[in-house]
Amino acid sequence: MGFTTHIIVTAVLLGLIAQPSSAENDLIPSMERVYHICPDRPLEPEWMQQIPLREAYQRVLVQDIYRAQSMESIVATGECACAIRFPAWDEAVTTFYDNYADAERWEMLDASDTYNRRANDLRPEAKAICEAAGNW
């Protein structure tokens, strides 16, 4: 193989290596979440995403309230439609503002723990309902 041919072959091989295949393109992470189950779930309220890092426990509390309320609704209704599993954030936000907005950090952390335990206790039953509905 001549020098020119060697350069051409090398360039072609480098071109193939530098271009990710379509399968590799699917593996490139993105900041956008794509859900396979209930892809049209409501987004967190904007204000929650703007909470400063030092006060992130407030966001976590609202998320924990949301999760517990979701599990409670699934178990109470025996259904797992997407609107039940991933409801609007309004009820969780209202619960937060009505009960915890003026609370101390330790009180919010304690409340988070309580909501987490409640959600975790209900999770097996909710999971069985949602698996039967194809939404887990």
Side-chain angles (χ1 to χ4, degrees), residues 37 67 70-76 78-81 85 118-136:
I37 303 290
R67 183 170 165 257
S70 169
M71 297 291 162
E72 289 169 347
S73 293
I74 293 166
V75 171
E79 297 180 21
C80 191
R85 181 155 185 220
R118 186 182 310 168
N120 288 340
D121 288 346
L122 294 169
R123 187 178 188 277
E125 190 175 351
K127 181 180 179 185
I129 294 166
C130 289
E131 283 178 333
N135 280 339
W136 192 267

Side-chain angles (χ1 to χ4, degrees), residues 61-92:
L61 175 54
V62 179
Q63 291 170 337
D64 290 341
I65 292 167
Y66 180 84
R67 183 170 165 257
Q69 289 174 342
S70 169
M71 297 291 162
E72 289 169 347
S73 293
I74 293 166
V75 171
T77 63
E79 297 180 21
C80 191
C82 290
I84 294 172
R85 181 155 185 220
F86 299 103
W89 285 83
D90 301 343
E91 188 178 344

Side-chain angles (χ1 to χ4, degrees), residues 2-136:
F3 183 71
T4 305
T5 306
H6 183 68
I7 290 176
I8 293 171
V9 169
T10 302
V12 169
L13 288 174
L14 287 174
L16 291 174
I17 293 170
Q19 296 296 321
S21 71
S22 63
E24 288 171 326
N25 283 334
D26 292 339
L27 298 176
I28 296 172
S30 92
M31 296 304 288
E32 194 172 312
R33 284 188 157 167
V34 177
Y35 299 104
H36 299 290
I37 303 290
C38 301
D40 295 330
R41 60 185 74 176
L43 299 174
E44 278 185 354
E46 183 71 28
W47 69 268
M48 286 176 58
Q49 298 171 23
Q50 303 302 322
I51 292 175
L53 187 57
R54 288 183 171 261
E55 298 171 4
Y57 57 89
Q58 295 175 11
R59 181 179 183 186
V60 170
L61 175 54
V62 179
Q63 291 170 337
D64 290 341
I65 292 167
Y66 180 84
R67 183 170 165 257
Q69 289 174 342
S70 169
M71 297 291 162
E72 289 169 347
S73 293
I74 293 166
V75 171
T77 63
E79 297 180 21
C80 191
C82 290
I84 294 172
R85 181 155 185 220
F86 299 103
W89 285 83
D90 301 343
E91 188 178 344
V93 169
T94 299
T95 300
F96 173 79
Y97 278 121
D98 288 351
N99 300 293
Y100 306 104
D102 295 326
E104 297 292 328
R105 180 180 182 271
W106 67 268
E107 293 171 306
M108 288 191 197
L109 293 173
D110 189 48
S112 268
D113 186 51
T114 300
Y115 282 103
N116 250 327
R117 273 188 267 116
R118 186 182 310 168
N120 288 340
D121 288 346
L122 294 169
R123 187 178 188 277
E125 190 175 351
K127 181 180 179 185
I129 294 166
C130 289
E131 283 178 333
N135 280 339
W136 192 267

